[in-house]
């Protein structure tokens, strides 16, 4: 026999064991749900019951309040007290709340869970199990504890976070970085800058994005960053420039002279990544060094030119308009797009310049880019509505150009019986020969609903349209 | 004339083969469940305590384009787009691609978002149909609607990628409701990890029975019918231990297209979504893995149990059959199209483990499983099989499945725990048992049918009609 009785019995025995395990699991999950419900009910009750006591402890109006809170030792009650204290944190009472948390034993417990106060033999075995401790499965509780410690007042949390930076787990490190950022303490700045450098150079420590985000949230890191830039390699410099850009976006003041030195170095760097970030940063500098932006606008790398054009576009002074004009004809589409967008946002003068380029250029890519922007900005729609006016030469040119480029949906859409007759006639003029897929069906609908000379005209256009398409088909054949 | 001893021998060998199949499958599922405990429970503990608030306002969160292909989705499209626009994420764009709908899908969008027609420059990075029209809204600048001639979901996604500006794209089904923090959680592996990530898959839950208002899940409940409840347990099992288990082995092979984040460059490098398959979401992961391995890139393919997208499950057996046939057909197509990845160490654990398992055990093996489910009881009733052998089969084929299903409900309860009341938990536990007494066998037959359709060359997409069973207000 292939399967002996012993094997079959073994399988059946496992089956019985599985059935028993199922029963255990079912009982477990039901009890767990019941326990959790009870836990949350108790926690809610404790919150309501202890809110006034906690408030008194924070305000200091009741000397015995903290001692009364010490009595509550059930997990739900402890969690309620913790939540009440942490939710009440404000800058003026942060130190006091930290003190209460310490008196109630929370700080010590978190330190213990985060392995920050291990000494003696405990401290000795940690390096041996560094690899294990870096695994997420063993790091989650430490990360949560570090997160709690990070919410204490900065005088307490920053030294603890510095200790937490020795943790081998990337998860704990990212939480530590966030906590340092939230502390808004100047002492945290060099620590975070160092963490950023390590994250870029070691690659599996903490994500670069997490480190940069933490730095951006810590407003006091400008000067350490600028100093670090001047002493770092290219990869770190890119990250630092990005952080500086975001800091300036948020209005953080940076030491001007250092910033100018950094920009000068970055704009002339051999790395296009650095040069492009310098162009982004220039946008947020009030009086940028002369010549730097002009240098970046002529950069051989399109990514640098793209950001330089965007930066130039952000400066509202009209005399910079000429700098943008050549970039409308840039070989890379993204630079062209940015230049067109920047001109469009310059106001009437910029828009007029775009229209002038559109009239004079034979470059289809440039024409399409400008036409797209004119649609975006509502200029084409406005031009369509002015077609029946007396001095509509420019509007007619724009509409004809749209038809020529095949970007005439807005025009063809208005070929319907509801359009005023005079405007309809002008539309028929400019859309003549359109290759739009809906053109013929629109004409047919107009022919059915209109009488008189307009109908005759529409029928004539339809005939012409059919002949053109037949001719094209014959030509193709 | 076959002698009785030959027949008995044949039955014995067949029974052995069936038992071996179920033993292997159950062993793999058990390993996946154990691995999932590592991935799911502690991750959820961390997520619950930690949150993603620091990245919600991070300027370094990468922009994401949410791609919503839609075909005749007039009932839910506005709600889905609202849900996408209101996601808590700093930089996103929403691209709805209408795949030749002949209902009021586009009209509803135009009305709801005051869309205006615009002619955009269309740059093709992936072969895709040329759009008929574009629509944009002045009041919702991050929304773009693209009209295409009907070409299928893959073509719609490819066209959307061509117009997307963001470096990451997130595919979203048009009938899905996404939780507000879901995108942030889906992007979290990219934000937190020092290693580049090409794919991040998320959890899909069944919205049947839930109350939805304004594109958000307002109240979670279970649907009334046994079919939908069984599907809920099945989804919990799949998304809480199946996929996290494979993710723990870095062998993710399937990420649901209903809510999945992809690196745009990797999708373009892989050639875009395949228009010749009926399950483009399975196919694209395989192609991305191939692209990454062949270009020696160490980008990760991850799965996260945090983010949640709610979708409607089929309410009738006929619709369920269509869906499962299609999935099975697509699975077989993908594995066979990429057969040189199977058991190939060059493609890592995905090639060595998950692709062969999905292809040969869950794919072709479903025919074998269906045969066993049918034949073994018949053999027993005909007296060709002893009671002990029959019970052993029943245990492996049915009984062990209850452990996996109950285990997944336990995992749900210990981690995400979305169902609020004790009654829900009791119902889920009950259906974790009932699911194995009929439902799984029915699904096995549907899957086997899908495989046979492939074998006999009938590769047509079967439309699943949604009836809107989630309670909407």
């Amino acid at each position: 026999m292939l399967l002996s009785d012993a094997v079959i019995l073994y399988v059946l025995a496992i089956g019985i064991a599985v059935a028993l395990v199922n029963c255990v699991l079912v009982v477990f999950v039901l009890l767990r749900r019941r326990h959790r419900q009870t836990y949350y009910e108790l926690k809610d009750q404790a919150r309501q019951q202890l809110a006034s006591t906690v408030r008194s402890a924070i305000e200091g109006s009741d000397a015995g309040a903290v001692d009364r809170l010490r009595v509550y030792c059930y997990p739900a009650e402890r969690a309620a007290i913790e939540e009440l204290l942490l939710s009440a944190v404000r800058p003026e009472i942060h130190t006091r709340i930290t003190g209460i948390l310490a008196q109630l034993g929370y700080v010590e417990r978190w330190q213990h869970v985060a392995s920050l106060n291990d000494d003696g033999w405990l401290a000795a075995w940690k390096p041996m199990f560094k690899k294990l401790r870096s695994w997420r499965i063993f790091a989650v509780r430490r990360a949560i504890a570090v997160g709690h410690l990070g919410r204490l007042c900065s005088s307490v949390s920053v030294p603890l976070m510095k200790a937490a930076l020795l943790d081998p787990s990337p998860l704990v490190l990212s939480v530590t970085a966030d906590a340092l950022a939230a502390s808004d303490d100047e002492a945290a700045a060099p620590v975070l800058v160092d963490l950023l450098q390590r994250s870029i150079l070691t690659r599996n420590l903490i994500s670069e994005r997490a480190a940069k985000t933490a730095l951006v949230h810590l407003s006091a890191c400008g000067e350490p960053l600028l100093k670090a830039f001047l002493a770092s390699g290219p990869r770190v410099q890119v990250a630092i420039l990005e952080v500086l850009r975001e800091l300036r976006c948020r209005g953080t003041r940076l030491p001007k002279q250092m910033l100018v030195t950094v920009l000068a170095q970055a704009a002339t760097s051999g790395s296009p990544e650095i040069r492009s970030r310098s162009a982004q940063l220039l946008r947020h500098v009030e009086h940028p060094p002369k010549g730097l932006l002009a240098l970046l606008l002529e950069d051989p790398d399109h990514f640098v030119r793209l950001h330089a054009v965007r930066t130039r576009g952000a400066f509202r002074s009209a005399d910079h308009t000429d700098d943008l004009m050549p970039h409308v004809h840039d070989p890379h589409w993204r630079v062209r797009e940015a230049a067109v967008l920047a001109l469009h946002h310059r106001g009437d003068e910029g828009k007029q310049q775009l229209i002038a380029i559109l009239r004079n250029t034979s470059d289809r890519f440039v024409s399409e880019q400008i036409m797209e922007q004119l649609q975006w900005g509502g200029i084409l729609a406005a031009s369509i509505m002015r077609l029946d006016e007396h001095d509509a030469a420019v509007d007619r040119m724009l509409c004809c150009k749209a038809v020529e480029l095949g970007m005439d949906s807005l025009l063809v859409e208005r070929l319907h019986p509801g359009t005023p007759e005079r405007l309809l006639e002008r539309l028929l003029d400019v859309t003549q020969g359109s290759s739009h897929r809906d053109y013929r069906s629109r004409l047919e609908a107009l022919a059915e609903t209109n009488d008189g000379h307009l109908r005759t005209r529409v029928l004539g256009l339809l005939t012409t349209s059919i002949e053109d398409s037949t001719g094209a088909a014959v030509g193709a054949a | 004339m076959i002698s009785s001893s030959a027949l008995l021998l044949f039955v014995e060998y067949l029974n052995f083969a069936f038992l071996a199949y179920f033993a292997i499958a159950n062993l793999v599922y058990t390993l996946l469940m154990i691995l999932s405990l590592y991935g799911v429970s502690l991750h959820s503990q961390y997520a619950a305590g930690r949150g993603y608030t620091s990245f919600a306002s991070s300027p370094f969160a990468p922009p994401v384009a949410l791609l919503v292909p839609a075909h005749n989705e007039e009932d839910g499209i506005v709600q889905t787009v609202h849900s996408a626009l209101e996601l808590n994420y700093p930089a996103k764009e929403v691209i709805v691609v209408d795949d030749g709908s002949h209902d009021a899908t586009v009209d509803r969008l135009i009305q709801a978002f005051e869309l205006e027609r615009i002619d955009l420059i269309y740059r093709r990075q992936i072969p895709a149909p040329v759009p008929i029209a574009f629509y944009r809204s002045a009041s919702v600048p991050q929304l773009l609607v693209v009209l295409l001639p009907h070409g299928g979901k893959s073509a719609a996604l490819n066209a959307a990628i061509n117009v997307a500006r963001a470096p990451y794209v997130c595919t979203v089904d048009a009938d899905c409701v996404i939780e507000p923090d879901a995108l942030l959680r889906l992007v979290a592996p990219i934000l937190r990890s020092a290693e580049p990530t090409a794919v991040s898959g998320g959890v899909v839950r069944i919205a049947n029975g839930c109350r939805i208002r304004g594109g958000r899940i307002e109240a979670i409940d279970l649907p009334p019918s046994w079919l939908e409840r069984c599907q809920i347990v099945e989804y919990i099992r799949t998304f809480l231990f199946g996929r996290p288990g494979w993710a723990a082995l870095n062998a993710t092979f399937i990420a649901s297209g209903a809510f999945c984040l992809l690196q745009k460059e990797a999708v373009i490098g892989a050639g875009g979504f395949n228009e010749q398959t009926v399950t483009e979401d399975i196919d694209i992961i395989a192609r991305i893995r191939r692209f990454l391995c062949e270009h020696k890139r160490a980008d990760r393919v991850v799965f996260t149990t945090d983010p949640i997208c709610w979708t409607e499950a089929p309410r009738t057996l006929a619709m369920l059959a269509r869906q499962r046939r299609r999935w099975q057909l697509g699975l077989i197509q993908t594995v066979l199209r990429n057969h040189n990845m199977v058991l190939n160490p060059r493609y890592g654990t995905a090639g060595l483990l998950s692709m062969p398992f999905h292809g040969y055990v869950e794919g072709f093996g479903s025919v074998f499983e269906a045969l066993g489910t049918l034949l073994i009881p018949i053999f027993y009733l005909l007296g060709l099989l002893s009671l002990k052998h029959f019970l052993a089969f029943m245990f492996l084929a049915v009984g062990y499945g209850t452990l996996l299903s109950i285990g997944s409900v336990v995992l749900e309860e210990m981690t995400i725990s979305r169902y609020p009341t004790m009654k829900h938990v009791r119902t889920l536990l009950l259906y974790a048992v009932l699911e194995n007494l009929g439902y799984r066998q029915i699904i096995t037959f549907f899957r086997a049918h899908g495989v046979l359709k492939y074998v006999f060359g009938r590769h047509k997409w079967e439309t699943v009609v949604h009836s809107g069973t989630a309670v909407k207000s």
Side-chain angles (χ1 to χ4, degrees):
Chain A
M1 282 180 71
L2 276 175
L3 290 166
S4 66
D5 282 352
V7 170
I8 296 296
L9 285 173
Y10 181 68
V11 170
L12 291 174
I14 295 178
I16 295 168
V18 162
L20 287 173
V21 168
N22 280 344
C23 294
V24 168
L25 287 175
V26 167
V27 169
F28 167 74
V29 80
L30 290 173
L31 284 177
R32 189 177 186 279
R33 175 55 76 106
R34 170 73 65 200
H35 170 75
R36 281 181 72 231
Q37 276 181 341
T38 308
Y39 171 83
Y40 285 115
E41 281 164 14
L42 284 175
K43 191 175 164 189
D44 287 339
Q45 274 175 22
R47 281 181 67 100
Q48 284 174 1
Q49 196 182 338
L50 299 172
S52 57
T53 311
V54 168
R55 205 174 321 120
S56 305
I58 293 171
E59 289 166 0
S61 58
D62 182 348
V66 176
D67 290 328
R68 287 205 300 281
L69 288 174
R70 237 192 280 270
V71 165
Y72 295 95
C73 53
Y74 288 121
E77 292 162 341
R78 295 277 294 174
I81 294 169
E82 179 188 316
E83 263 182 34
L84 284 167
L85 284 168
L86 290 174
S87 63
V89 166
R90 290 191 310 279
E92 59 270 25
I93 53 171
H94 203 174
T95 309
R96 178 151 181 81
I97 290 177
T98 301
I100 295 171
L101 286 166
Q103 287 177 62
L104 293 175
Y106 289 97
V107 177
E108 191 182 338
R109 185 168 64 86
W110 293 333
Q111 281 183 271
H112 175 70
V113 172
S115 304
L116 294 183
N117 58 356
D118 293 338
D119 53 10
W121 67 272
L122 277 174
W125 70 253
K126 276 201 298 196
M128 286 191 288
F129 294 98
K130 186 176 173 183
K131 181 68 180 169
L132 272 178
R133 292 180 76 237
S134 70
W135 289 5
R136 193 182 182 88
I137 187 172
F138 299 117
V140 172
R141 291 188 68 224
R142 296 202 311 277
I144 293 174
V146 166
H148 286 312
L149 288 168
R151 297 180 69 180
L152 303 174
C153 67
S154 58
S155 58
V156 173
S157 70
V158 171
L160 289 172
M161 293 305 106
K162 284 182 183 175
L165 284 175
L166 299 173
D167 198 291
S169 162
L171 183 64
V172 173
L173 288 176
S174 70
V175 172
T176 307
D178 289 342
L180 281 168
S183 73
D184 213 23
D185 190 301
E186 275 186 19
V191 178
L192 280 176
V193 173
D194 178 64
L195 186 60
L196 174 68
Q197 289 174 311
R198 283 162 57 204
S199 73
I200 292 169
L201 297 174
T202 53
R203 288 206 139 241
N204 61 353
L205 195 64
I206 169 181
S207 82
E208 187 182 321
R209 280 198 176 96
K212 287 190 298 192
T213 300
L215 278 164
V216 169
H217 288 142
L218 177 69
S219 54
C221 62
E223 194 170 328
L225 275 172
L226 289 166
K227 284 182 183 163
F229 178 90
L230 298 169
S232 300
R235 282 169 55 204
V236 177
Q237 286 182 336
V238 168
I240 289 175
L241 285 171
E242 288 175 347
V243 175
L244 289 171
R245 177 195 71 208
E246 293 305 323
L247 286 172
R248 285 295 301 141
C249 248
R250 288 163 186 243
T252 305
R253 298 186 75 83
L254 299 172
K256 188 172 178 187
Q257 198 47 50
M258 277 180 107
L259 183 59
V260 167
T261 309
V262 162
L263 280 169
Q265 187 173 329
T268 53
S269 165
S271 161
E273 298 281 330
I274 294 175
R275 296 199 304 275
S276 62
R277 267 72 173 184
S278 74
Q280 294 171 17
L281 181 55
L282 269 174
R283 184 176 177 155
H284 303 287
V285 174
E286 280 167 7
H287 302 289
K290 285 185 182 168
L292 274 184
L293 192 53
L295 186 68
L296 293 167
L297 281 168
E298 301 307 318
D299 198 280
D301 187 279
H302 80 271
F303 197 60
V304 180
R305 292 199 306 278
L306 166 65
H307 288 291
V309 165
R310 286 181 178 167
T311 296
R312 178 61 92 203
F315 290 120
R316 297 289 171 183
S317 169
D319 65 1
H320 288 150
T321 310
D322 286 345
D323 287 0
L324 290 171
M325 300 279 285
H327 295 286
V328 175
H329 297 270
D330 194 282
H332 198 280
W333 71 269
R334 291 191 72 190
V335 181
R336 287 200 300 272
E337 184 189 53
V340 168
L341 190 65
L343 276 173
H344 184 263
H345 286 151
R346 282 296 173 84
D348 285 339
E349 187 176 337
K351 291 181 178 95
Q352 293 307 318
Q353 296 209 309
L354 283 174
I355 291 171
I357 295 171
L358 185 62
R359 181 190 285 127
N360 298 320
T361 187
S362 57
D363 188 325
R364 189 181 175 93
F365 296 127
V366 173
S367 301
E368 282 179 346
Q369 193 66 63
I370 295 174
M371 186 55 66
E372 184 182 273
Q373 189 56 46
L374 293 179
Q375 287 187 73
W376 265 112
I379 293 173
L380 183 63
S383 290
I384 292 169
M385 299 315 292
R386 286 195 298 264
L387 272 179
D388 60 346
E389 289 176 13
H390 181 62
D391 55 346
V394 173
D395 303 304
R396 267 196 295 281
M397 183 277 295
L398 282 180
C399 293
C400 289
K401 203 72 176 180
V403 174
E404 183 189 320
L405 293 169
M407 299 171 82
D408 52 351
S409 296
L410 286 178
L411 290 120
V412 171
E413 264 191 351
R414 280 168 173 75
L415 288 175
H416 62 80
T419 303
E421 195 170 307
R422 253 190 82 173
L423 181 58
L424 200 51
E425 286 185 14
R426 299 289 83 76
L427 278 168
L428 288 171
D429 289 338
V430 297
T431 57
Q432 193 168 345
S434 168
S435 58
H436 197 280
R437 61 191 293 147
D438 294 337
Y439 179 61
R440 200 181 298 175
S441 60
R442 292 280 176 167
L443 289 180
E444 286 166 359
L446 276 176
E448 280 173 20
T449 53
N450 272 283
D451 295 319
H453 76 280
L454 201 59
R455 185 166 185 274
T456 311
R457 183 152 179 227
V458 168
L459 287 172
L461 284 170
L462 268 172
T463 311
T464 313
S465 169
I466 292 168
E467 283 170 1
D468 285 347
S469 59
T470 308
V474 167
Chain B
M1 183 88 170
I2 302 168
S3 68
S4 59
S5 58
L7 184 62
L8 283 171
L9 193 64
F10 170 73
V11 168
E12 190 185 333
Y13 273 96
L14 203 55
N15 189 43
F16 175 76
F18 288 137
L19 284 175
Y21 169 85
F22 281 109
I24 292 168
N26 286 331
L27 182 66
V28 172
Y29 292 137
T30 307
L31 286 172
L32 290 176
M33 190 157 68
I34 293 168
L35 287 168
S36 297
L37 284 172
Y38 161 74
V40 176
S41 62
L42 287 161
H43 177 76
S44 294
Q45 185 187 355
Y46 163 75
R50 179 76 182 76
Y52 300 93
T53 48
S54 64
F55 283 119
S57 57
S58 170
F60 303 110
V64 174
L66 290 135
L67 312 181
V68 186
H71 179 67
N72 295 339
E73 300 281 357
E74 62 180 4
D75 283 334
I77 188 65
V78 173
Q79 183 171 277
T80 300
V81 174
H82 271 303
S83 166
L85 288 168
E86 287 163 16
L87 287 174
N88 178 20
Y89 192 77
K92 62 181 183 290
E93 54 176 333
V94 179
I95 302 172
V96 179
V97 183
D98 177 72
D99 181 30
S101 298
H102 43 77
D103 65 357
T105 301
V106 177
D107 292 335
R108 297 248 171 121
L109 284 169
I110 290 173
Q111 201 175 12
F113 299 101
E114 297 172 340
L115 297 174
E116 293 167 349
R117 184 118 179 223
I118 187 170
D119 288 317
L120 294 180
I121 302 169
Y122 180 65
R123 295 180 178 91
R124 288 173 70 160
Q125 299 166 89
I126 306 173
V130 177
I132 298 169
F134 297 96
Y135 285 88
R136 209 101 206 207
S137 168
S139 55
V140 188
Q142 67 268 44
L143 173 63
L144 174 68
V145 175
V146 183
L147 270 61
L148 287 185
H150 181 57
K153 189 173 175 185
S154 296
L157 286 169
N158 287 335
I161 288 172
N162 284 335
V163 296
R165 307 298 296 266
Y168 284 92
V169 296
C170 178
T171 59
V172 178
D173 278 358
D175 56 353
C176 278
V177 173
I178 311 165
E179 296 199 343
D181 279 347
L183 186 57
L184 202 56
R185 291 163 186 260
L186 195 62
V187 179
I190 295 166
L191 298 171
R192 290 250 168 251
S193 172
E195 296 162 14
T197 303
V199 178
S200 177
V203 173
V204 177
R205 286 296 184 92
I206 291 179
N208 300 38
C210 298
R211 189 166 65 239
I212 300 173
R213 186 200 293 269
R216 297 274 177 99
I217 295 281
E218 202 177 60
I220 296 172
D221 201 353
L222 291 173
S225 79
W226 71 273
L227 187 67
E228 292 162 285
R229 289 178 172 187
C230 286
Q231 289 181 77
I232 286 176
V233 173
E234 186 188 12
Y235 270 56
I236 289 173
R237 194 176 58 246
T238 304
F239 284 99
L240 277 194
F241 90 73
R243 295 194 188 170
W246 289 118
L249 294 168
N250 191 24
T252 300
F253 173 59
I254 300 175
S256 174
F259 192 51
C260 180
L261 188 77
L262 306 163
Q263 190 189 71
K264 190 169 105 170
E265 187 212 341
V267 176
I268 293 172
F273 288 87
N274 187 349
E275 295 180 32
Q276 305 305 315
T277 180
V278 294
T279 50
E280 71 293 328
D281 48 359
I282 302 175
D283 183 82
I284 193 63
I285 304 298
R287 287 146 69 87
I288 287 176
R289 277 203 175 271
R290 173 191 292 282
F291 167 75
L292 294 173
C293 289
E294 289 173 357
H295 289 80
K296 295 186 172 42
R297 283 172 54 164
D299 298 43
R300 303 180 309 153
V301 175
V302 301
F303 179 83
T304 315
T305 50
D306 277 343
I308 284 187
C309 159
W310 298 81
T311 189
E312 188 184 334
R315 201 163 65 110
T316 63
L317 270 177
M319 288 299 137
L320 182 61
R322 285 191 189 184
Q323 184 192 64
R324 298 312 165 96
R325 279 197 296 264
R326 180 173 67 83
W327 288 0
Q328 199 70 3
L329 182 58
L331 177 64
I332 299 293
Q333 281 178 330
T334 300
V335 171
L336 290 181
R337 277 210 178 99
N338 297 283
H339 64 89
N340 60 340
M341 290 174 68
V342 175
L343 295 172
N344 187 338
R346 186 182 176 197
Y347 298 98
T349 44
L352 284 173
L353 298 175
S354 66
M355 280 186 79
F357 181 80
H358 282 102
Y360 300 120
V361 177
E362 293 206 333
F364 289 109
S366 60
V367 177
F368 195 65
E369 190 177 331
L371 215 55
T373 306
L374 199 61
L375 289 177
I376 294 298
I378 291 173
F379 288 155
Y380 172 68
L381 289 171
L382 291 175
L384 297 172
L385 207 60
S386 70
L387 178 63
K388 278 185 299 198
H389 283 82
F390 176 67
L391 287 176
F393 174 84
M394 289 304 292
F395 159 63
L396 281 176
V398 179
Y400 199 84
T402 60
L403 174 65
L404 301 176
S405 298
I406 290 174
S408 56
V409 174
V410 171
L411 210 53
E412 145 80 12
E413 176 58 22
M414 288 173 64
T415 58
I416 303 173
S417 190
R418 287 308 171 109
Y419 293 95
T421 68
M422 182 69 106
K423 186 180 168 194
H424 289 140
V425 177
R426 285 197 297 262
T427 308
L428 286 174
L429 286 169
L430 174 64
Y431 278 86
V433 174
L434 294 178
E435 187 219 355
N436 293 279
L437 303 173
Y439 173 80
R440 285 191 78 175
Q441 289 71 30
I442 293 171
I443 296 298
T444 301
F445 284 115
F446 294 156
R447 287 165 51 210
H449 189 186
V451 174
L452 293 174
K453 278 169 74 82
Y454 178 84
V455 168
F456 291 109
R458 296 177 64 185
H459 305 170
K460 198 171 67 117
W461 176 291
E462 294 182 90
T463 306
V464 176
V465 175
H466 296 295
S467 52
T469 56
V471 178
K472 291 178 189 159
S473 51

